[in-house]
Amino acid sequence: MIKLTKQYNLEGFSLIIPSVAVGNVAQLTVDLLISNLNLQRIGQIVTSAFIPIVGLDPYAKTSEHLCTAVDLYAGLENKILVVQIRSPFVKSLNNFYHSLLQFITANKIFKIVILTSSYAYEKTDTQINTTELRYIASPSILSNNKEIFDDSKWLQYESKSSCPSEQQISCIPGGGFATNLFNFLLNNNVPCIILFKFCSEGDNIPDALDLLNYLNQWMKLLKMNSSGSLDVKYPLSWKYLFGNAPSSEIY
């Protein structure tokens, strides 16, 4: 169930969803989007599929708002909706998918962008020698944007093995629920696309910045600086991304 703080006109908006995957790259990318676009929390997705959490607002030090396991943010000027997921899923996601579909249909959401990541060690020999960024698009998005993707030198994902059904996309190792959600939306005629990066566990901030830049090449959400790169600020909560600094008393 998706609960909004009030009624909004969301017709024509793009919805960005991170998949909980290797390195949490998609979630870090969403953090950057929320912080740099000053997106406002407009609701939450109430579901038992994800481990429940509650905490302080990760984007504003003096905020009185709380965050939950699955929150929804919006930029009304940019016509963008962003889901942030802060815990792993532990149950079937079917109800979560159907809640999303109902919300998408009722609000006439324009397109869905799924962000995720994949194990770097799963790359083929060909993939090792090319960019680590890939996309998988539904026919409707591909037909409208193929020229843009080609001009940007984007590469469609070439998997080592295919999923059982011809109607489904190839699996992304380490990509979490991204392919399952994509197939669900595809089967319900919802325009959707997956953007992802091959990576390894560790400090995945550089991977998140790369994925953000990849998304921005297409959607033009953030402005480029004079050097041709994104000038971004890190969320407040990233100060504790790797825990607190060690006490000087241990030295």
Side-chain angles (χ1 to χ4, degrees):
M1 179 175 63
I2 298 179
K3 298 174 62 177
L4 300 182
T5 55
K6 65 179 184 179
Q7 285 296 116
Y8 295 90
N9 179 11
L10 303 176
E11 183 175 351
F13 276 54
S14 298
L15 176 62
I16 299 174
I17 305 173
S19 173
V20 182
V22 54
N24 298 317
V25 174
Q27 293 155 288
L28 293 173
T29 304
V30 165
D31 266 352
L32 289 169
L33 279 172
I34 294 170
S35 296
N36 287 276
L37 293 174
N38 296 316
L39 303 185
Q40 302 302 308
R41 183 180 181 274
I42 64 166
Q44 65 180 130
I45 302 180
V46 181
T47 172
S48 61
F50 295 88
I51 295 175
I53 66 164
V54 65
L56 298 176
D57 188 333
Y59 309 114
K61 192 172 184 180
T62 59
S63 172
E64 296 180 355
H65 298 293
L66 297 175
C67 70
T68 67
V70 189
D71 284 330
L72 184 64
Y73 296 81
L76 302 181
E77 292 184 1
N78 296 320
K79 285 200 166 188
I80 180 176
L81 292 170
V82 174
V83 174
Q84 180 58 298
I85 300 174
R86 299 187 173 93
S87 65
F89 62 91
V90 290
K91 292 184 179 180
S92 169
L93 291 170
N94 285 336
N95 290 337
F96 175 68
Y97 294 162
H98 281 91
S99 292
L100 279 175
L101 179 62
Q102 184 179 19
F103 179 78
I104 290 164
T105 304
N107 290 278
K108 299 180 180 179
I109 304 298
F110 179 57
K111 65 176 178 289
I112 312 303
V113 181
I114 305 167
L115 303 179
T116 190
S117 49
S118 183
Y119 294 121
Y121 61 75
E122 291 283 353
K123 289 188 292 186
T124 64
D125 291 343
T126 302
Q127 290 167 341
I128 289 175
N129 296 317
T130 57
T131 175
E132 296 184 316
L133 297 156
R134 292 292 189 278
Y135 78 94
I136 306 168
S138 65
S140 57
I141 285 189
L142 194 59
S143 62
N144 293 326
N145 297 277
K146 185 65 164 63
E147 186 175 345
I148 296 174
F149 296 162
D150 289 344
D151 288 345
S152 300
K153 294 182 170 52
W154 282 22
L155 297 177
Q156 293 191 64
Y157 178 47
E158 337 84 322
S159 89
K160 293 186 289 186
S161 60
S162 296
C163 293
S165 170
E166 292 182 358
Q167 299 300 316
Q168 295 181 324
I169 63 165
S170 301
C171 301
I172 300 175
F177 61 75
T179 54
N180 286 336
L181 177 57
F182 181 94
N183 288 323
F184 175 80
L185 296 172
L186 192 64
N187 291 335
N188 285 279
N189 301 312
V190 177
C192 51
I193 186 171
I194 296 177
L195 305 181
F196 76 95
K197 186 187 180 190
F198 291 106
C199 69
S200 301
E201 295 277 5
D203 181 357
N204 294 102
I205 291 177
D207 299 307
L209 292 169
D210 286 343
L211 191 57
L212 177 66
N213 184 67
Y214 191 44
L215 173 68
N216 197 63
Q217 286 177 19
W218 176 38
M219 295 187 66
K220 310 296 183 186
L221 297 171
L222 297 168
K223 294 181 180 180
M224 310 293 287
N225 58 31
S226 57
S227 63
S229 59
L230 293 177
D231 188 13
V232 299
K233 63 178 181 180
Y234 289 176
L236 177 70
S237 57
W238 282 20
K239 182 179 179 181
Y240 308 102
L241 199 59
F242 299 102
N244 295 323
S247 171
S248 60
E249 295 176 356
I250 69 174
Y251 298 108

